[in-house]
Amino acid sequence: MKKTSVSVFLGISIDGCIAGENGDLSWLAELAPDTPEATGYTALMAQVDTLLIGRTTYDAVLDFSPWPYAGKRVVVLSHRDFAPRHGEQRREGSVRSVLEELAGEGCRHVYLDGGAVIRAGLREGVIDSLILSVLPVVLGRGVRLFEDGLPRSDWRLDGTRQLPSGVVQLRYRKN
């Protein structure tokens, strides 16, 4: 069975926050008006067949219009039931075990979304590529991507670029 490729793509503040206080995401659109095409998000999503997202992220994007994951299989990592609106599926377990299940079901490229799921992916060593778009802001408070307790993991810088908005994008591959 071929290994599933696992990617992360997200905006982050200079001080390492992926959301502001109370999960606020408004600063992302305010400070990074670049199009999904300009950021490379559209190209990445063209390669992705499945999204594995956390329940908090799922709840945050559920009412977005249009649905941001149209045409993609969406798997929500959650211990709580929910009523799918767009064909989403619920799974429980470690990120590694869910990825193994998805690989067995034919998934080839999974996009991880949500701070808790990404941190679990980092802890479990399952992420292959990490694309961080660093926005020019220090939030001071909020949801941090990298928190105490994550094990060491070594990455190779695969590229950098500055977007028209001033956002600097860092692309890393797992060593």
Side-chain angles (χ1 to χ4, degrees):
M1 172 176 18
K2 188 176 178 190
K3 182 188 178 304
T4 300
S5 179
V6 180
S7 298
V8 169
F9 184 106
L10 40 83
I12 188 167
S13 66
I14 293 171
D15 58 339
C17 293
I18 57 174
E21 286 188 272
N22 302 315
D24 175 45
L25 299 174
S26 62
W27 58 280
L28 288 165
E30 173 189 330
L31 295 169
D34 306 291
T35 66
E37 291 78 18
T39 65
Y41 180 80
T42 302
L44 174 66
M45 291 305 282
Q47 300 170 11
V48 165
D49 54 34
T50 304
L51 287 94
L52 178 58
I53 66 174
R55 180 62 186 266
T56 301
T57 300
Y58 172 70
D59 289 342
V61 302
L62 189 57
D63 291 325
F64 283 11
S65 182
W67 174 239
Y69 309 128
K72 300 294 179 185
R73 179 180 185 188
V74 177
V75 177
V76 181
L77 197 57
S78 179
H79 299 291
R80 296 177 286 137
D81 281 329
F82 59 87
R85 292 192 204 168
H86 309 278
E88 309 87 335
Q89 303 170 327
R90 183 180 68 86
R91 298 281 175 102
E92 292 185 47
S94 69
V95 170
R96 179 182 299 282
S97 67
V98 171
L99 287 171
E100 287 170 357
E101 291 171 10
L102 293 172
E105 296 166 9
C107 293
R108 293 187 318 246
H109 194 161
V110 176
Y111 171 73
L112 292 189
D113 200 5
V117 170
I118 295 168
R119 283 188 294 276
L122 288 167
R123 270 192 302 279
E124 296 172 29
V126 297
I127 298 171
D128 299 304
S129 70
L130 190 59
I131 302 167
L132 302 176
S133 297
V134 182
L135 282 73
V137 63
V138 172
L139 292 178
R141 292 189 175 137
V143 179
R144 298 199 183 279
L145 177 59
F146 305 108
E147 58 184 25
D148 288 345
L150 286 176
R152 176 181 169 157
S153 60
D154 295 330
W155 297 82
R156 180 183 76 253
L157 184 64
D158 200 33
T160 62
R161 65 186 179 129
Q162 181 177 339
L163 301 176
S165 66
V167 168
V168 174
Q169 194 171 75
L170 307 168
R171 294 183 305 281
Y172 292 98
R173 292 257 173 228
K174 185 81 166 114
N175 267 349

